[in-house]
Amino acid sequence: MLNKKLLFSSLNVFISVLLLAGCASTKSNAKQENKETSKDSITLMQTNELLSLDTSNHADLTTWNILENTMEGLYKADSKHQPAPAMATKIVKPTDNGTVYTFPLRHNAKWSNGDPVTAHDFVIAWQRSVAPTSKSGYNYIFSGIENADAIIAGQKSVQSLGVKALDQYTLQVKLEHPMPYFNKMMVMPAFFPENQAALKKFGNKYGTNSKSLYYNGAFYATGWDGTNENWSLKANKYYYNKKKVHLKTIKYLVIKDPNTAHELFERNKLDDATITGVTAKELQGDKNLIHQNRAGNYYLRVNLANNHPLTNNKMRQALSLVLNRKTLTKNVLADGSLPANTYVAKNLVKDPINGKDFADENQPQQTYNVKLARKLWKQGYRESGFKKTVALTLIGDDQTVTKNVAQFVQASIQNNLPNVKVNMKNIPEKSASSYVHSGKFDLGNTLWLADFADPTSFMSILTKDNPQNYGKYNDEYFNKQYNLAIASSNNNQQYWQHMNNLEKRLNQTLPVIPLYQMVESHLVNPKLKGVLRHPVGETDYTQAYLK
């Protein structure tokens, strides 16, 4: 799903004090400092700003990371990364040939204002989220639910969506066709409920700050005014399972630079620090380092709109072939990340027909070949009628790691291909997203982290009319194979054959150029226990504790 991506207003002064203090004391002394927080509190980081808490109108990693710990949907992912009951009291088996799901909801779930969580809260949330006016870019995720596609296209009202409150504590969902992965999808923040009273009370301000919504999860957010870069989560006294919540407070800081993250961890100011690049490379032997494997790939999104220079397939192939992904992951990232040559990440899912990892069975024949790349570039350059240097704008956020990757891409292209110049534009996440959404880019540094364990979580966003298809990829064969896959979702052999065809087609047409698979390096307080780190979805701190 989703994308990448200092401190509070006194950050510069704060960091300066930290660094000066660090110069005056040894590392060992710093590690022996007493933590300012008690066992009831931990401090975490995010690498990008929090832009919204409204799932119907916003979706990115920071938003979903916070919602994972403050909200609950029908299910949560358990310690084995499988759906487990949350607002629903059991894992539901569909009826009517796999097209009807009837969810019994728990009677003791409440919002942070004391209201009961009801089936109506799901209905109104899903209707808001599927509407063509939704700004999240995620309304497509409801495709397959009765009338969702027609609603997204503006052909039917949101009230016709196949979701219904049979009574206060019974939610029924009707599908247009069987979706064997539907239960897996129900852990996603996109399907979380929204409190009806909050929507009425806050109106257009809903989710724009921590006070303008109510929460039904283990914690509620506080201290975020909509723009600041530090906030907290506090234990929700109304949470139905509060006996299993050990922490009273989770503090968050926005930290984009891995050196800063490392420094704060060394000074016991962070309990979990994400590190990359040179910082990560130097700390691979640290006793507090862990690697978190994620089913997500970073890639270059290519803008294929007619007025952009990379509509020629040979030129896209050339760009891919000059990128030495092993060098990128070993020398630039140095954080355990792995080279990626396919759009779908490894370790997401195995093809049940042959038991092979889906990404492994669809590896392209050529991954790095500068000689062939030059040949293809020159051919595409002539075919496109270029006479001057091709100028490419590479958009990305302003994290240090994103800048480092952009520099690698820029050098790889300019040093190996003729008549091309790559202009890097690394800006804050909100601005970078705006550029991409409005089509003001040629290449975009992007992450897609799987929403659920099925290739369609990746493939769907490259279909013709998907709102996340910002590169405007429109391939007749790809669209047809995707539709055939969905239509045959109850036939394993046909479904997986179509999915394989989709990945192979992307290897050929390259609307996205894979870079590396997401393997995060974290420095973690050895006393921090009970954290659920999922390869798919977000990290769950709701039952974390300090030993």
Side-chain angles (χ1 to χ4, degrees):
M1 142 214 148
L2 294 166
N3 222 301
K4 313 174 278 186
K5 353 292 131 78
L6 265 121
L7 306 173
F8 26 97
S9 59
S10 58
L11 172 66
N12 292 333
V13 173
F14 179 60
I15 296 300
S16 297
V17 170
L18 288 176
L19 294 177
L20 287 171
C23 294
S25 62
T26 65
K27 184 180 293 186
S28 59
N29 287 337
K31 285 186 174 181
Q32 292 173 7
E33 287 182 354
N34 293 325
K35 285 184 65 63
E36 295 180 358
T37 54
S38 69
K39 285 190 175 182
D40 294 331
S41 176
I42 61 173
T43 302
L44 307 176
M45 63 175 278
Q46 293 292 299
T47 55
N48 266 315
E49 300 88 350
L50 179 58
L51 301 178
S52 176
L53 289 169
D54 180 359
T55 54
S56 294
N57 282 313
H58 194 82
D60 67 11
L61 277 179
T62 304
T63 297
W64 282 23
N65 284 337
I66 302 308
L67 293 176
E68 174 72 17
N69 296 289
T70 58
M71 294 284 198
E72 282 192 10
L74 295 168
Y75 304 145
K76 287 173 65 75
D78 63 16
S79 59
K80 296 182 180 179
H81 317 305
Q82 299 301 311
M87 292 296 100
T89 60
K90 67 177 183 178
I91 303 300
V92 170
K93 293 183 178 180
T95 57
D96 290 7
N97 296 316
T99 61
V100 176
Y101 288 75
T102 304
F103 298 94
L105 305 185
R106 62 174 65 252
H107 290 216
N108 60 338
K110 292 184 178 182
W111 293 96
S112 54
N113 69 333
D115 288 349
V117 180
T118 70
H120 301 284
D121 295 322
F122 283 91
V123 173
I124 195 170
W126 292 17
Q127 289 177 349
R128 284 186 77 229
S129 296
V130 78
T133 54
S134 169
K135 300 175 183 177
S136 69
Y138 244 82
N139 54 4
Y140 77 89
I141 204 71
F142 292 86
S143 181
I145 299 177
E146 188 176 68
N147 294 325
D149 290 337
I151 294 168
I152 294 168
Q155 298 168 355
K156 290 190 175 182
S157 70
V158 295
Q159 286 74 26
S160 68
L161 184 67
V163 56
K164 183 179 181 181
L166 299 184
D167 56 43
Q168 190 169 9
Y169 296 109
T170 309
L171 182 73
Q172 186 180 81
V173 182
K174 292 185 177 181
L175 307 182
E176 293 179 336
H177 54 77
M179 297 169 63
Y181 44 82
F182 187 72
N183 269 335
K184 295 179 182 178
M185 297 172 66
M186 292 301 101
V187 303
M188 295 170 54
F191 295 98
F192 284 176
E194 295 169 355
N195 181 278
Q196 300 169 83
L199 290 169
K200 292 178 182 178
K201 179 178 181 179
F202 301 113
N204 292 335
K205 292 185 178 180
Y206 179 86
T208 59
N209 59 71
S210 58
K211 293 182 179 180
S212 63
L213 73 163
Y214 302 141
Y215 308 83
N216 72 323
F219 297 90
Y220 66 92
T222 183
W224 180 61
D225 63 13
T227 60
N228 58 315
E229 296 185 338
N230 69 300
W231 60 89
S232 296
L233 308 186
K234 299 287 186 178
N236 179 7
K237 66 179 181 180
Y238 292 108
Y239 184 53
Y240 69 92
N241 204 17
K242 63 183 179 181
K243 290 183 179 179
K244 291 195 175 181
V245 179
H246 308 287
L247 298 172
K248 292 182 179 179
T249 304
I250 301 177
K251 300 176 183 178
Y252 279 93
L253 306 173
V254 176
I255 303 174
K256 301 180 181 182
D257 179 65
N259 290 321
T260 302
H262 176 218
E263 174 69 20
L264 292 177
F265 181 81
E266 288 296 301
R267 297 185 60 78
N268 296 322
K269 304 298 183 182
L270 273 180
D271 292 288
D272 188 330
T274 304
I275 55 173
T276 57
V278 175
T279 305
K281 188 174 184 178
E282 293 176 347
L283 293 168
Q284 288 304 300
D286 193 290
K287 64 179 181 180
N288 295 314
L289 185 76
I290 68 166
H291 289 116
Q292 183 174 356
N293 292 289
R294 309 295 297 276
N297 276 353
Y298 284 86
Y299 57 87
L300 298 176
R301 176 188 279 124
V302 184
N303 193 338
L304 299 177
N306 289 333
N307 59 333
H308 288 267
L310 294 175
T311 55
N312 185 281
N313 189 33
K314 291 178 181 177
M315 296 175 72
R316 299 196 298 277
Q317 291 175 337
L319 293 186
S320 181
L321 289 172
V322 297
L323 300 173
N324 189 331
R325 294 161 177 84
K326 291 182 179 179
T327 298
L328 171 63
T329 54
K330 181 180 179 180
N331 299 334
V332 178
L333 297 167
D335 59 358
S337 294
L338 302 171
N341 297 302
T342 54
Y343 175 52
V344 174
K346 289 185 179 183
N347 303 318
L348 172 71
V349 66
K350 289 184 177 180
D351 183 336
I353 305 304
N354 55 30
K356 295 181 180 179
D357 182 272
F358 180 80
D360 282 340
E361 69 177 329
N362 288 296
Q363 290 294 301
Q365 293 182 342
Q366 294 277 354
T367 59
Y368 176 62
N369 188 326
V370 174
K371 183 177 180 180
L372 178 58
R374 287 172 180 160
K375 178 181 178 181
L376 290 169
W377 181 265
K378 290 176 181 178
Q379 290 176 351
Y381 183 89
R382 288 195 300 269
E383 291 171 3
S384 300
F386 288 113
K387 303 296 182 183
K388 299 180 180 179
T389 298
V390 178
L392 302 176
T393 300
L394 171 56
I395 289 287
D397 64 34
D398 58 350
Q399 292 184 64
T400 299
V401 62
T402 310
K403 295 176 183 177
N404 292 342
V405 171
Q407 290 170 357
F408 170 83
V409 170
Q410 180 190 55
S412 298
I413 294 174
Q414 292 184 169
N415 292 344
N416 292 298
L417 299 176
N419 302 314
V420 59
K421 180 177 176 58
V422 178
N423 300 305
M424 294 167 43
K425 195 174 187 68
N426 291 95
I427 51 183
E429 168 63 16
K430 185 174 183 178
S431 298
S433 295
S434 178
Y435 270 81
V436 171
H437 294 177
S438 59
K440 298 177 181 178
F441 72 101
D442 300 307
L443 297 168
N445 196 323
T446 305
L447 163 71
W448 190 258
L449 178 61
D451 294 319
F452 52 96
D454 192 277
T456 192
S457 177
F458 281 83
M459 299 301 182
S460 60
I461 67 171
L462 291 179
T463 54
K464 176 184 176 182
D465 297 320
N466 190 289
Q468 296 265 6
N469 185 6
Y470 300 118
K472 306 302 179 186
Y473 180 57
N474 184 10
D475 182 81
E476 183 178 351
Y477 177 83
F478 183 91
N479 292 325
K480 182 178 180 180
Q481 287 296 308
Y482 181 81
N483 291 333
L484 288 171
I486 297 305
S488 64
S489 57
N490 258 11
N491 184 317
N492 252 2
Q493 187 160 355
Q494 291 183 23
Y495 178 78
W496 287 95
Q497 182 57 58
H498 292 309
M499 282 293 158
N500 284 317
N501 291 344
L502 288 168
E503 183 60 62
K504 288 179 172 64
R505 185 63 172 175
L506 295 178
N507 292 347
Q508 298 166 354
T509 57
L510 289 170
V512 294
I513 300 174
L515 294 175
Y516 60 98
Q517 179 153 355
M518 189 179 188
V519 180
E520 297 175 340
S521 282
H522 290 259
L523 292 170
V524 180
N525 182 347
K527 295 182 179 180
L528 179 59
K529 307 295 181 182
V531 180
L532 296 182
R533 300 181 185 274
H534 302 300
V536 175
E538 291 67 49
T539 301
D540 182 351
Y541 291 92
T542 58
Q543 295 184 32
Y545 61 94
L546 289 172
K547 189 175 180 180

